[in-house]
Amino acid sequence: MATIVEKFFDSKDALTAELSATLEQSLISGIEADGRAVLMVSGGSSPAPAYKHLSNLELDWKNIDVAMVDERWVDTEHDKSNEVFIKSTLLQNHGAAANFVTMKNSAVTAEQGIAKCEAAYQQLKRPFDVTILGMGPDGHTASLFPHADGLQNGLETPQLVCAINAIKSDVTGDITQRMTLTLSAIAQSKVVKLLISGEEKLAVYKAAKAGGDVNDMPLRAILNHPTINIEVYWAP
Ligand code: 6PG
């Protein structure tokens, strides 16, 4: 089992306040210890307020690398692009000075884009200071989707990134081709913050934690990992 600390809050505002404070502290500590800090970011509604808060802080942003946890293989102007989302939330105000490491490149497919993306991610300091993960109602995290083409590789490869083609569902929408951090990369983080909102997703998290097939709920690979240090943030 991973080391799991569950932090349950009464409100999203309380979650955001605590999350923002701990992210700020991790970035400061990372820079103090190593000269640079690395923050791995997910999309989703849960982290957005903390990203906006952080963007207003006077941190040593030029020594912070912000890198994507996962990305849809869409144009970088696309409204479903996580890159667009991070630019419009975290990389505003003071945060605009951070070094942004993105996943999408000019390759036609995510598979063809792996080598360039992997090379960029290999340049980042490890362990990463913080990796922020969300969770879908299907038990996916990052873009490790249930029974996806590429999932097995993503769980087993020592590489940092991999291509995924998810099975189309209400959760994936039309865009099933993704790039994502691998399980190995996620494990190379000082701390993983798993953000969960609402009762429905809380039940999904509990079902994942109770055990079962990793292919049905890839979040289990994180929860079962022997060395990952996870903090679960939940708010109604
Ligand atoms: C995706 C979404 C997804 C999202 C989670 C958590 O790539 O399909 O970005 O992975 O991060 O569903 O979303 P919330 O933060 O809104 O709960």
Side-chain angles (χ1 to χ4, degrees):
M1 274 292 266
T3 305
I4 304 175
V5 175
E6 293 173 343
K7 301 182 177 214
F8 286 15
F9 298 88
D10 293 337
S11 68
K12 289 196 168 79
D13 285 350
L15 181 153
T16 295
E18 166 80 8
L19 176 63
S20 303
T22 64
L23 290 176
E24 179 183 4
Q25 199 45 56
S26 291
L27 294 173
I28 291 169
S29 303
I31 295 169
E32 268 172 16
D34 310 311
R36 293 194 75 76
V38 178
L39 174 62
M40 290 287 170
V41 289
S42 288
S45 59
S46 307
Y51 292 161
K52 287 179 186 157
H53 176 87
L54 277 182
S55 78
N56 283 305
L57 299 182
E58 288 187 38
L59 299 171
D60 182 11
W61 286 101
K62 65 180 184 313
N63 285 317
I64 296 175
D65 296 304
V66 172
M68 309 295 312
V69 164
D70 66 330
E71 183 61 286
R72 297 175 177 85
W73 208 250
V74 291
D75 196 86
T76 52
E77 312 289 300
H78 195 287
D79 66 348
K80 295 272 190 224
S81 159
N82 278 341
E83 185 176 326
V84 169
F85 169 73
I86 296 300
K87 278 186 185 150
S88 67
T89 52
L90 182 60
L91 302 179
Q92 295 287 317
N93 311 310
H94 296 297
N99 177 45
F100 191 25
V101 179
T102 58
M103 285 184 150
K104 178 67 172 66
N105 55 48
S106 59
V108 175
T109 65
E111 186 72 37
Q112 290 165 347
I114 291 174
K116 191 170 176 198
C117 188
E118 178 73 20
Y121 274 65
Q122 287 285 348
Q123 300 299 313
L124 294 167
K125 179 193 89 169
R126 276 178 279 156
F128 312 131
D129 292 285
V130 185
T131 295
I132 297 175
L133 296 179
M135 187 202 78
D138 55 356
H140 86 266
T141 190
S143 278
L144 300 169
F145 281 90
H147 302 283
D149 185 11
L151 175 63
Q152 217 49 46
N153 177 50
L155 298 177
E156 290 169 4
T157 177
Q159 300 284 101
L160 298 174
V161 301
C162 68
I164 290 284
N165 201 352
I167 297 169
K168 191 175 163 189
S169 69
D170 289 349
V171 178
T172 65
D174 288 335
I175 303 157
T176 57
Q177 202 182 151
R178 314 282 189 110
M179 187 77 80
T180 184
L181 288 186
T182 62
L183 177 62
S184 170
I186 293 167
Q188 295 178 64
S189 311
K190 292 179 189 168
V191 63
V192 171
K193 309 244 180 202
L194 175 63
L195 311 186
I196 304 174
S197 313
E199 296 294 342
E200 190 194 340
K201 283 195 179 180
L202 182 60
V204 173
Y205 164 71
K206 286 183 176 165
K209 199 177 160 194
D213 189 344
V214 166
N215 294 295
D216 291 339
M217 295 181 117
L219 176 66
R220 287 181 175 139
I222 315 281
L223 300 177
N224 295 339
H225 193 280
T227 61
I228 295 181
N229 180 19
I230 309 176
E231 292 175 3
V232 180
Y233 285 70
W234 178 84

